[in-house]
Amino acid sequence: MRVLDQLIQSIRGAATHNPDVQAAPACILWPDEDRQWAAVVPRLQAEMPELFQLGEYRPEQRIGPAIWLRCVLAGLVPEAPIPPGATPIFYLPGVGRSGLRAVESCPEPLKPLAELQYRGVIWSQVNAKDWTVLAFLKSNQGGLALDVSQDADSKHAMQLALYRVLDEELDLLRGKRLDKDYFNTLLSGGDPVRDLLQWLDQGDAFQAARDKNAWQGFVEVCKSQLGFDPVNEGPIHGAGLLAAHQGPWQALWERYREAPRRYPRIPQLLRKTSPPRDLLSDKSGWPQWNEGEEASLRDILLAASQQPHHAARKSILEAEAKHGARRECVWAELGEAPLAMALEHLAAAAQVTGQSLAAGSPQDMAAAYRNGGWKADAAVVAALAAVQKLDDCKAVQAIVETIYLPWVDEAARHLQAQVEAGGYPGKTIQSDSEPEKKPGECWVFVDGLRLDLARRLEALLQEQGFAVEGDDAWAALPSITATAKPAVSPIRRLVRGKDVNADFEPAVAATGQSLKGGYHFKKLLKDNAWQLLDRSDTGDPSGSAWTEVGNLDHEGHERGAQLARHLDVILADIRDRIVELLSAGWETIRIVTDHGWLLAPGGLPKADLPSVLTQNTWGRCAAIKPGAKCQETLYPWYWNPDLHFALAPGARCYRAGVEYTHGGLSLQECVVMYLVAAASAAGRGASVKIQKVSWKGMRCKVTIEGEPGALRLDIRTHAGNALTSVTTGSRPFKADGTASVVVEDDHLAGHNAAIVVLDDQGRLVAQRNTVIAKDDA
């Protein structure tokens, strides 16, 4: 029960009587000489239609003079009726009980009410005194028996906060000391920590948005709980206390750290304060300190880049020990510590590149790369993604050039020497087997899914509850899309290499038509009963299909080193597409790729190859003119081992300034991983099918076939991405297998979307394409 409920019950209870010996009171008089209850009477009138107030004539507010109240009592005021069976209550502000007793000395305006003290009853204490706010809250005889402080400050705060006190639950107040701090906190909104942070962030706008009483309560809470006067000391001083976060300000700092983006102007305010000069003081609360630390780390990285790679790795690890803790500070959360964030990944790269991959056979090298070497590639990409400012990018680039590129180059040269001596471990079209065609399996081709990204995609799918298995392979040589994409396709046995080829593009075996441009490649798939799925099509899961998604290779060539910043979005798109296909009923998804790539901010070192010797020069491979003699090592073509081409030595590139490229012979380009994803037993949902879909306006009703259990219904623009939901919220299915949801935006009528059925873990178990606001055919 709230205080309000108890107050109403007490006032109405004044009319309680024994009908056997007493007449029912004509009314209840509520005298309030000090007007302590005046501020909450309008609130009480909303709950008590029988409550009327003495005052200037305002009948629409149930307020009027004494003679008007008598007319109300007599039932002569149609616009102010007394509810049937209720006893009218007359609130008398500025009038005390003693003023009504002496009828002869009663002020003339009150005389019409004086005689009602005999026909009615007065709401008062047991001792016949008027109820004050303090008395009602504190008294154990007819009051609430709460522990209320009686000092002047508490009384003043209690009076100001009375409106809010009414909504407090009595059970929560019992056993609590109600003093000035309690009332002021209640008055200011009940969360003084949040309020102070908002005041620091909003400045004058904070005060302007509050009434006088709420502002005063806020000020008093700051004084009593924090020893800080917002009015006299101001926001800059308060910001300095927040940054120092000593004593009671520690709680404010912790709250700020939890969600600093809610208070975007506080860092600017903190910059107007000065950190302490004491070397031992904690300065982490000041953005200036973090900026200084970032500058120091930048200098460390640039200096380390001038050292031998083994010394540079040591310097990076030492920097990590010193600066790594800043990733937990508020400035990292606000994106103002990018080098500290990048340092975590640079340190990981330093650890991995400390172990050379240039040892053993190609198979040994591939095993070492799969078992952990790929983490250096992942770390470099993550470090590049963490920085954006030019100076920060230069520092990270310098470290990558010092510790990573030599490591890649050394391994590539060893691999190339091993291949020259013993042959490439990857297959040719003559040795490659016929791919198995499985009904219910959809092949998803991702151009340029390097091993580290395949690992990330594997983790993303597993997070969605899918079972994922990986299978390692060597890319076809040269590791470019023209050669390697057809080599991983299910129709590779229908393709052959030309006798003369400068662009590494194979042809249809039966007709000799080039696969360049993609038309004949797609035609081969169609002619051999492979469904070709476009970006939104889910096809017939009882057959076999091929689809392409997430063109990482195109993005890499377009963006160079900037690719690193976009990988999260690209991989999420690939994941969503795979989830969409599995949810549509495909049993397995086989994810294949053609090659990996090398990435070097600032560009890979250039390898010289005279243009007069080449027919076509790619980034890392070149077709040599017939009869031309060059110093380059030549390698056989996957599609026709009688044709050879040159590969750039080590990690070099035949073109200057190229940051992203492939086509050469390195672990990063040639060791790839194919994935097979399937719904796990927990998330398969094979027994659930969408049976019927009907629209009524923007409301969609769906009926499923199968056990509803804890399943829920939603509608999304991208089935696998919960963030693309267009409804007011997912809804559970009823026992009869039906559920309905509403699309919020009526502008979406006529747009394509996906109806999805989710399990209790949020995983998709069924899906159907739909047109919003249009019944299924």
Side-chain angles (χ1 to χ4, degrees):
M1 181 178 287
R2 297 171 299 170
V3 171
L4 175 66
D5 302 322
Q6 189 68 43
L7 176 61
I8 292 172
Q9 182 176 308
S10 177
I11 296 172
R12 285 175 171 165
T16 302
H17 64 286
N18 185 348
D20 294 331
V21 296
Q22 293 175 299
C27 63
I28 299 171
L29 299 178
W30 178 2
D32 183 13
E33 187 169 13
D34 296 330
R35 302 177 184 269
Q36 291 191 13
W37 299 96
V40 299
V41 167
R43 171 75 184 282
L44 289 167
Q45 285 185 309
E47 304 281 342
M48 306 169 71
E50 74 272 29
L51 176 58
F52 302 86
Q53 180 176 341
L54 176 68
E56 294 182 0
Y57 183 63
R58 296 196 294 276
E60 71 281 357
Q61 299 177 29
R62 283 185 265 155
I63 301 175
I67 190 64
W68 181 81
L69 293 178
R70 288 295 300 269
C71 292
V72 168
L73 182 62
L76 300 176
V77 185
E79 65 271 26
I82 299 171
T87 302
I89 304 165
F90 296 150
Y91 172 67
L92 311 176
V95 178
R97 179 170 184 161
S98 58
L100 290 174
R101 283 179 176 173
V103 178
E104 65 282 353
S105 61
C106 184
E108 197 66 30
L110 287 179
K111 283 186 177 180
L113 299 178
E115 67 89 15
L116 292 180
Q117 65 184 303
Y118 306 113
R119 290 200 293 131
V121 293
I122 297 177
W123 182 56
S124 61
Q125 300 184 57
V126 174
N127 59 11
K129 292 183 178 180
D130 295 343
W131 277 115
T132 64
V133 174
L134 176 64
F136 183 73
L137 295 179
K138 189 172 181 62
S139 174
N140 57 9
Q141 294 185 315
L144 303 182
L146 299 174
D147 183 7
V148 185
S149 296
Q150 301 185 58
D151 60 275
D153 289 340
S154 294
K155 290 180 181 178
H156 177 66
M158 174 188 64
Q159 193 66 52
L160 294 177
L162 179 58
Y163 193 93
R164 296 183 183 274
V165 171
L166 293 181
D167 286 319
E168 293 294 282
E169 293 287 338
L170 277 173
D171 288 345
L172 299 179
L173 297 181
R174 301 195 191 283
K176 181 183 293 185
R177 181 67 170 173
L178 308 185
D179 55 14
K180 64 177 182 178
D181 286 345
Y182 169 78
F183 291 118
N184 282 324
T185 299
L186 189 63
L187 183 61
S188 65
D191 190 345
V193 173
R194 179 203 61 200
D195 289 344
L196 183 53
L197 291 173
Q198 288 183 341
W199 174 68
L200 290 173
D201 182 62
Q202 299 171 11
D204 293 341
F206 176 85
Q207 182 178 353
R210 282 152 181 78
D211 60 36
K212 181 179 179 181
N213 290 344
W215 168 253
Q216 188 59 41
F218 166 72
V219 171
E220 293 301 323
V221 168
C222 290
K223 287 180 180 179
S224 62
Q225 296 189 15
L226 298 170
F228 169 67
D229 185 346
V231 175
N232 294 318
E233 296 180 272
I236 293 179
H237 181 66
L241 293 172
L242 175 67
H245 49 271
Q246 299 295 316
W249 289 83
Q250 180 65 34
L252 272 87
W253 179 252
E254 291 301 325
R255 177 74 73 86
Y256 176 60
R257 284 187 59 193
E258 289 174 3
R261 296 182 187 276
R262 292 182 182 176
Y263 314 100
R265 300 175 188 86
I266 284 182
Q268 182 181 354
L269 193 63
L270 291 172
R271 286 187 172 89
K272 297 179 180 179
T273 69
S274 299
R277 296 183 178 180
D278 180 7
L279 295 177
L280 299 179
S281 297
D282 179 6
K283 303 179 181 66
S284 62
W286 279 269
Q288 302 95 306
W289 166 81
N290 176 68
E291 289 161 2
E293 292 295 287
E294 281 286 288
S296 173
L297 177 54
R298 190 179 302 112
D299 291 341
I300 290 173
L301 295 179
L302 290 172
S305 70
Q306 302 301 312
Q307 299 173 331
H309 52 78
H310 64 278
R313 293 188 182 99
K314 180 179 178 183
S315 295
I316 292 168
L317 296 176
E318 289 173 350
E320 167 66 8
K322 178 182 178 182
H323 289 271
R326 281 197 296 117
R327 289 193 290 274
E328 303 301 320
C329 76
V330 68
W331 312 116
E333 175 69 21
L334 289 173
E336 296 184 14
L339 284 178
M341 303 302 290
L343 181 60
E344 176 182 16
H345 308 297
L346 293 177
Q351 292 277 16
V352 177
T353 58
Q355 302 295 319
S356 176
L357 295 177
S361 67
Q363 291 81 1
D364 295 332
M365 296 180 70
Y369 182 63
R370 289 191 299 265
N371 292 334
W374 62 270
K375 294 180 180 178
D377 305 328
V380 167
V381 165
L384 292 172
V387 293
Q388 295 188 25
K389 294 179 181 178
L390 181 59
D391 288 346
D392 295 340
C393 291
K394 287 181 178 179
V396 172
Q397 173 183 329
I399 289 297
V400 170
E401 290 175 350
T402 300
I403 67 169
Y404 175 70
L405 281 183
W407 177 78
V408 172
D409 184 77
E410 180 187 40
R413 290 181 182 276
H414 183 80
L415 176 61
Q416 290 161 9
Q418 291 293 308
V419 170
E420 184 179 2
Y424 183 61
K427 297 177 180 178
T428 64
I429 186 59
Q430 287 90 344
S431 61
D432 217 343
S433 60
E434 180 78 22
E436 182 181 1
K437 186 176 185 179
K438 297 179 181 178
E441 183 170 76
C442 179
W443 288 45
V444 174
F445 174 74
V446 183
D447 195 351
L449 187 68
R450 197 170 67 171
L451 181 61
D452 54 316
L453 301 188
R455 293 286 191 184
R456 286 172 62 178
L457 179 60
E458 179 183 31
L460 288 173
L461 292 170
Q462 288 172 341
E463 288 172 4
Q464 295 288 316
F466 297 109
V468 186
E469 296 180 356
D471 185 19
D472 301 314
W474 289 85
L477 283 185
S479 52
I480 58 173
T481 303
T483 285
K485 178 181 176 180
V488 297
S489 73
I491 45 87
R492 58 176 171 263
R493 300 300 297 177
L494 303 175
V495 178
R496 67 171 176 82
K498 303 175 184 177
D499 294 334
V500 178
N501 200 329
D503 56 7
F504 312 107
E505 196 88 46
V508 179
T511 64
Q513 294 166 312
S514 174
L515 297 186
K516 191 172 185 178
Y519 172 79
H520 291 290
F521 175 75
K522 293 178 180 178
K523 188 174 186 300
L524 270 180
L525 286 166
K526 286 182 179 179
D527 292 346
N528 286 273
W530 286 86
Q531 301 172 63
L532 286 180
L533 308 183
D534 62 23
R535 186 66 181 85
S536 59
D537 189 13
T538 54
D540 178 6
S542 65
S544 302
W546 170 276
T547 189
E548 301 176 17
V549 65
N551 197 335
L552 287 157
D553 191 41
H554 172 77
E555 294 294 322
H557 287 298
E558 285 287 318
R559 300 180 185 276
Q562 298 293 323
L563 170 67
R565 299 180 191 169
H566 301 271
L567 289 174
D568 286 345
V569 173
I570 297 172
L571 288 172
D573 267 350
I574 299 170
R575 173 204 61 195
D576 293 346
R577 176 59 169 154
I578 293 167
V579 171
E580 183 178 36
L581 291 167
L582 285 169
S583 301
W586 290 96
E587 292 185 13
T588 56
I589 305 296
R590 180 174 295 276
I591 305 153
V592 296
T593 191
D594 47 359
H595 57 74
W597 32 268
L598 296 180
L599 188 72
L604 291 164
K606 187 175 184 301
D608 293 325
L609 181 64
S611 60
V612 296
L613 300 177
T614 64
Q615 289 180 303
N616 193 356
T617 303
W618 297 57
R620 294 261 295 151
C621 62
I624 305 300
K625 291 180 179 179
K629 294 183 178 180
C630 65
Q631 301 300 317
E632 306 298 303
T633 304
L634 300 181
Y635 299 86
W637 187 30
Y638 171 88
W639 293 104
N640 184 350
D642 293 332
L643 292 180
H644 291 72
F645 52 88
L647 296 182
R652 293 181 175 272
C653 180
Y654 287 132
R655 297 177 182 176
V658 175
E659 295 184 326
Y660 170 96
T661 191
H662 55 90
L665 180 54
S666 68
L667 296 171
Q668 285 74 14
E669 296 163 283
C670 296
V671 178
V672 295
M673 182 168 73
Y674 308 143
L675 301 173
V676 176
S680 65
R684 185 175 297 277
S687 61
V688 176
K689 293 183 180 180
I690 296 176
Q691 189 178 55
K692 182 180 179 182
V693 175
S694 61
W695 287 89
K696 187 175 183 180
M698 301 301 285
R699 178 179 291 277
C700 179
K701 182 178 180 181
V702 174
T703 304
I704 60 172
E705 179 184 310
E707 179 58 43
L711 301 179
R712 300 181 70 86
L713 171 68
D714 198 7
I715 298 178
R716 302 170 177 176
T717 57
H718 292 81
N721 189 348
L723 298 178
T724 65
S725 172
V726 295
T727 70
T728 55
S730 64
R731 292 291 183 268
F733 280 88
K734 300 176 184 177
D736 61 358
T738 65
S740 64
V741 289
V742 176
V743 175
E744 293 182 291
D745 187 355
D746 56 10
H747 291 96
L748 293 174
H751 286 248
N752 294 325
I755 295 169
V756 295
V757 179
L758 311 169
D759 67 11
D760 57 356
Q761 301 297 315
R763 297 176 299 220
L764 277 71
V765 298
Q767 169 192 336
R768 180 187 289 188
N769 292 337
T770 189
V771 176
I772 294 175
K774 180 180 179 181
D775 284 349
D776 281 12

